[in-house]
Amino acid sequence: MTPDLLKDLNIAASEGVLALGGLALLMVGAFVGEKSARLVSILAVAVLIAAAAVAATGPLGVAFNGAYVADPLSIYAKVAIYIASAVAVVLGGGWMQREKIARFEYPVLIVLAAVGMGMMVSSGDLISLYVGVELHSLALYVLAAYHRDDLKASEAGLKYFVLGALSSGLLLYGASLIYGFTGSMRFDEIAAYATANPGVGLVFGLVFLICGLAFKVSAAPFHMWTPDVYEGAPTPVVAFFTTAPKMAAMVLFARALSEGFMEAHAQWAQVLILISLASFVVGAWGGLAQKDIQRLLAYSSIANIGYAILGIAAGTEAGLQAMIVFMTLYMIDTMGFFAILLSLSRNGRPIRTIADLAGLKNDRPVTAIAITVLSLSVLGMPPLSGFWGKYYVFGAAASAGYWMVAAAGLVASVVAAFYYLRIIKLVWFDAAPEGVARTDRAPVESQWIGWACAAFAFPLVIVGLTWLEPATRIAASGFGAG
């Protein structure tokens, strides 16, 4: 190996750990057989934590001729993504054993998806952007249909795959237009060309690129796959979908626009604001009529992605920091919500509808408190963690001159509060229907993860912000300084 190649591999060591680890886990599963699911899950968690440690302690720099960037933002995002992926493996392992569908492929697919997400947050050109997006997307398509004997899961996987192919086409068409007009794939060279030669063709390519990326984060009006996939996919898979891939896609969104097209901010900010407003409307109003909890959380994720996009639309360092803070706190709240959901069942049947939560305070008082705290946090009630995420995002948008959009976000938050308050009302004030069995004994791993996330939402977030704020500020200020 040449010294330059060794240096590049050293900079991209975290992805190397995941890729080699994923292949090794696949071999273990193939040779040991179906009984290896628990062993492979434990090893997958170890690999993901090791990759997070390697990313956190690895060197900064640019590798592979500018295709890969290791800067403070990518390092922060990778640590958050890999830890969230490890938690998803823990939640999924226990749940799938109880549902009699545990197989070693689940943790392997999450590890392989993490490779793609690492590539996404470190993309330095359009080629690595597309490779990262597709590498993680292919694993997600399979995960959506993981419960292959369930018709809804198969339908979810098929819908996700077909619509994902459409979004990939939009992404590639936008990338081809950008390359055709600029003659380069690298974000820094695209930025230099766009500064000297702004044109309509380049803006068209940028719009197609934004549309493709908006699908990946399930922002309206590119959200059509989200409710059906969230409803049909296994619950731990949906917990994974709403956390790590969302963080990776939002960081990629910020990197592609800020590094490649900062001079065209006035143009792409208008598109992002329209997407953000559409997400507010679809997420807040669409969730009002939902009865299935996972489908409700799908609409909640659409609205919350709209809030996060506001931070990118601001086009400032404060806006970028706000987006990172918001996504970090949102990941913790959502993972906690799904952990609580995974811990609830009656007669071996998972609780899926909002009505099933009636009278939960009688069976599981601590869990009832946890789900109340998480619901209030996601709706943005001060001083819980969700409030601080929205405080940063709306503040950055208002400082950038988009105070009317921030006001629209506040209105959407008030509307969305209805379905979170309905959950709290059912848990505390409604009695369980006569003849309904008590909830089953809670699985240890999901119950404690849910409680821990609720404890972070409040009161630990007050302490957590003392390290989260400076960490995100360093990540935002070091953006592109690999």
Side-chain angles (χ1 to χ4, degrees), residues 344-347 351 356 360 363-364 437-441:
L344 297 174
S345 63
R346 285 193 174 96
N347 295 328
I351 285 179
D356 289 338
L360 185 64
D363 295 351
R364 307 271 288 281
R438 291 173 63 87
T439 54
D440 301 332
R441 182 183 177 88

Side-chain angles (χ1 to χ4, degrees), residues 365-384:
V366 179
T367 298
I369 293 171
I371 202 169
T372 301
V373 170
L374 290 167
S375 297
L376 292 173
S377 180
V378 177
L379 73 84
M381 182 73 71
L384 283 74

Side-chain angles (χ1 to χ4, degrees), residues 284-295:
W285 273 268
L288 296 177
Q290 303 308 315
K291 297 179 180 178
D292 184 277
I293 298 175
Q294 289 182 200
R295 197 172 179 90

Side-chain angles (χ1 to χ4, degrees), residues 107-481:
V108 172
L109 286 166
I110 287 185
V111 170
L112 294 177
V115 180
M117 291 185 283
M119 280 291 296
M120 288 166 68
V121 300
S122 287
S123 294
D125 65 13
L126 295 172
I127 295 292
S128 57
L129 177 152
Y130 185 72
V131 169
V133 166
E134 288 307 301
L135 183 56
H136 106 288
S137 293
L138 289 172
L140 298 191
Y141 300 151
V142 180
L143 283 170
Y146 182 82
H147 193 181
R148 57 193 176 206
D149 296 327
D150 183 79
L151 288 177
K152 279 194 172 182
S154 299
E155 179 188 353
L158 183 61
K159 283 183 178 178
Y160 195 11
F161 176 72
V162 171
L163 293 173
L166 173 64
S167 77
S168 295
L170 293 173
L171 195 67
L172 275 179
Y173 186 57
S176 65
L177 282 174
I178 292 166
Y179 175 71
F181 281 100
T182 64
S184 177
M185 289 288 187
R186 290 180 53 171
F187 292 148
D188 54 354
E189 294 177 357
I190 291 170
Y193 182 91
T195 303
N197 305 282
V200 176
L202 197 58
V203 173
F204 265 99
L206 177 58
V207 169
F208 277 105
L209 189 72
I210 290 172
C211 291
L213 292 175
F215 176 92
K216 299 302 178 185
V217 297
S218 64
F222 308 98
H223 66 286
M224 63 289 291
W225 61 275
T226 312
D228 291 339
V229 171
Y230 278 37
E231 183 182 10
T235 305
V237 170
V238 181
F240 177 60
F241 282 3
T242 58
T243 51
K246 289 282 197 295
M247 170 68 92
M250 288 304 298
V251 172
L252 175 61
F253 223 140
R255 188 176 294 283
L257 296 179
S258 299
E259 284 195 353
F261 300 94
M262 199 61 216
E263 292 300 320
H265 172 256
Q267 285 77 30
W268 56 255
Q270 296 176 42
V271 179
L272 291 193
I273 286 169
L274 289 174
I275 289 174
S276 187
L277 290 170
S279 299
F280 295 163
V281 173
V282 170
W285 273 268
L288 296 177
Q290 303 308 315
K291 297 179 180 178
D292 184 277
I293 298 175
Q294 289 182 200
R295 197 172 179 90
L296 171 66
L297 292 173
Y299 282 98
S300 174
S301 75
I302 293 167
N304 280 284
I305 285 299
Y307 304 138
I309 286 174
L310 266 186
I312 301 176
T316 60
E317 186 179 304
L320 180 60
Q321 182 190 2
M323 184 273 289
I324 306 166
V325 171
F326 181 89
M327 290 304 301
T328 304
L329 298 176
Y330 172 72
M331 283 172 61
I332 295 170
D333 285 347
T334 309
M335 189 66 82
F337 215 111
F338 274 101
I340 294 293
L341 190 59
L342 287 164
S343 74
L344 297 174
S345 63
R346 285 193 174 96
N347 295 328
R349 183 182 65 86
I351 285 179
R352 285 295 302 265
T353 67
I354 299 171
D356 289 338
L357 296 173
L360 185 64
K361 74 176 190 299
N362 298 320
D363 295 351
R364 307 271 288 281
V366 179
T367 298
I369 293 171
I371 202 169
T372 301
V373 170
L374 290 167
S375 297
L376 292 173
S377 180
V378 177
L379 73 84
M381 182 73 71
L384 283 74
S385 61
F387 164 77
W388 295 107
K390 290 182 180 178
Y391 171 80
Y392 274 87
V393 167
F394 293 154
S399 299
Y402 303 123
W403 62 269
M404 290 188 70
V405 186
L410 285 172
V411 172
S413 295
V414 173
V415 174
F418 172 81
Y419 45 77
Y420 296 116
L421 294 175
R422 181 173 55 169
I423 290 174
I424 296 171
K425 179 244 185 190
L426 282 165
V427 167
W428 290 100
F429 301 109
D430 287 17
E434 250 184 77
V436 173
R438 291 173 63 87
T439 54
D440 301 332
R441 182 183 177 88
V444 174
E445 73 282 351
S446 54
Q447 179 173 267
W448 279 98
I449 289 171
W451 288 357
C453 292
F456 181 86
F458 188 80
L460 296 182
V461 67
I462 307 301
V463 178
L465 285 171
T466 61
W467 60 262
L468 182 61
E469 202 281 334
T472 53
R473 187 172 63 250
I474 291 169
S477 62
F479 178 50

